[in-house]
Amino acid sequence: MPRYRFCLLLLTAAVGVAASANVRAQETAPGTLGRPKIADVETVGELVLAATGDRIQQSEGWVMGGGGRDGGSRNRYYWPLHVRTNTPGATLTLDFQGRGIAAVFHTPRVRAYGSHWKDGLVKATVDDKPPKEFIHDQEALEVVLADGLQPGKHRLVFEHVQNGCTLFGFRVFDRPVGHIEGVLRGDSSDYLFDVRLSVWRGEQLIRTGLHRNWLSGKYRITGLPPGDDLRLQVEAVGWTAEQVEHLKVEAGKTTVLGDIHLKQ
């Protein structure tokens, strides 16, 4: 057999093996690094994107960020679309129907790509309730702004006070939900940036994503259906996986977990 035909056969066989392995990886059992099927994700409410949602009214001072570097498409510099501001008093207003709402902040960029936007003091007011102020650099990437609201229409006014803000959007809860939070660290924490946290109920995936703020080490997963049979899976490439079983989540409450430490 000519050498080029032999090489072609080897290449074809290698592609087939890789494709088969990829299919198996996507169908892995809960708790592995395989990507869950989108159909398995249970939806609770909606995520209103700040950069693309026409439901959010923006005052002056907000700019849209994201995409490739300098508006291009270089994947190495790609960021999800978001809005940011450095203007004191800049506001976002959202009218929504639901039982609660949370802010979803953009992941701060790692040191390798220069200084991140310094995320500072913000204030959120829902209807006529007392405003909630916090420094979101010191928070998790998701922060509950209001919970246990009566069914019907509500209005959120989100205001940047000082030191900058980078926001991905708002998560609206359409039913009574609970939340979990805690602190996650690991060996060589200076390099622990991307940590995937997934919440499962048996074989059913509830939520999955990068919910941890690497600056503070805090994570919070909002909008979880109540129950006492949930499981939290924690995964980061280069660190051992951990999980917390038999989680109890109550409507209108936040379950605080003990510190989680990942080993290399």
Side-chain angles (χ1 to χ4, degrees), residues 123-150:
K123 178 171 65 175
T125 305
V126 176
D127 299 334
D128 56 354
K129 298 183 180 300
K132 179 172 184 174
E133 291 190 350
F134 55 94
I135 299 175
H136 69 86
D137 237 11
Q138 303 172 5
E139 263 286 358
L141 296 183
E142 295 188 12
V143 177
V144 178
L145 306 178
D147 203 0
L149 300 174
Q150 293 299 316

Side-chain angles (χ1 to χ4, degrees), residues 26-80:
Q26 294 186 29
E27 296 177 349
T28 49
T32 67
L33 286 172
R35 178 179 292 276
K37 299 176 182 178
I38 297 300
D40 291 339
V41 179
E42 179 177 329
T43 302
V44 178
E46 63 173 329
L47 178 62
V48 182
L49 301 179
T52 59
D54 56 3
R55 293 170 50 191
I56 298 178
Q57 303 174 34
Q58 295 184 12
S59 71
E60 294 184 359
W62 294 93
V63 296
M64 186 173 70
R69 185 178 187 180
D70 300 325
S73 59
R74 296 175 61 184
N75 290 337
R76 179 181 178 187
Y77 300 97
Y78 187 86
W79 276 24

Side-chain angles (χ1 to χ4, degrees), residues 44-46 96-102 142 144 146-147 171-177 179 207 222-224:
V44 178
E46 63 173 329
F96 66 96
Q97 294 194 46
R99 304 299 298 272
I101 189 168
E142 295 188 12
V144 178
D147 203 0
R171 190 176 301 280
V172 179
F173 314 131
D174 61 1
R175 69 195 78 171
V177 295
H179 324 282
R207 286 284 303 282
T222 65
L224 298 176

Side-chain angles (χ1 to χ4, degrees), residues 116-128:
H116 60 11
W117 275 70
K118 182 171 179 56
D119 299 323
L121 182 64
V122 296
K123 178 171 65 175
T125 305
V126 176
D127 299 334
D128 56 354

Side-chain angles (χ1 to χ4, degrees), residues 81-97:
L81 293 177
H82 58 274
V83 296
R84 62 178 186 251
T85 187
N86 219 21
T87 304
T91 61
L92 300 172
T93 303
L94 172 63
D95 292 322
F96 66 96
Q97 294 194 46

Side-chain angles (χ1 to χ4, degrees), residues 108-206:
R109 69 169 70 191
V110 299
R111 299 181 183 93
Y113 296 102
S115 60
H116 60 11
W117 275 70
K118 182 171 179 56
D119 299 323
L121 182 64
V122 296
K123 178 171 65 175
T125 305
V126 176
D127 299 334
D128 56 354
K129 298 183 180 300
K132 179 172 184 174
E133 291 190 350
F134 55 94
I135 299 175
H136 69 86
D137 237 11
Q138 303 172 5
E139 263 286 358
L141 296 183
E142 295 188 12
V143 177
V144 178
L145 306 178
D147 203 0
L149 300 174
Q150 293 299 316
K153 297 181 178 180
H154 302 280
R155 169 166 289 191
L156 165 68
V157 178
F158 182 88
E159 178 183 351
H160 163 247
V161 179
Q162 62 183 20
N163 292 340
C165 175
T166 308
L167 183 75
F168 186 65
F170 299 103
R171 190 176 301 280
V172 179
F173 314 131
D174 61 1
R175 69 195 78 171
V177 295
H179 324 282
I180 63 174
E181 67 177 40
V183 176
L184 194 157
R185 299 186 176 89
D187 297 344
S188 303
S189 279
D190 284 350
Y191 303 98
L192 185 59
F193 300 117
D194 297 333
V195 180
R196 176 167 292 277
L197 294 98
S198 304
V199 178
W200 298 83
R201 172 177 284 150
E203 301 294 317
Q204 174 73 43
L205 177 66
I206 306 298

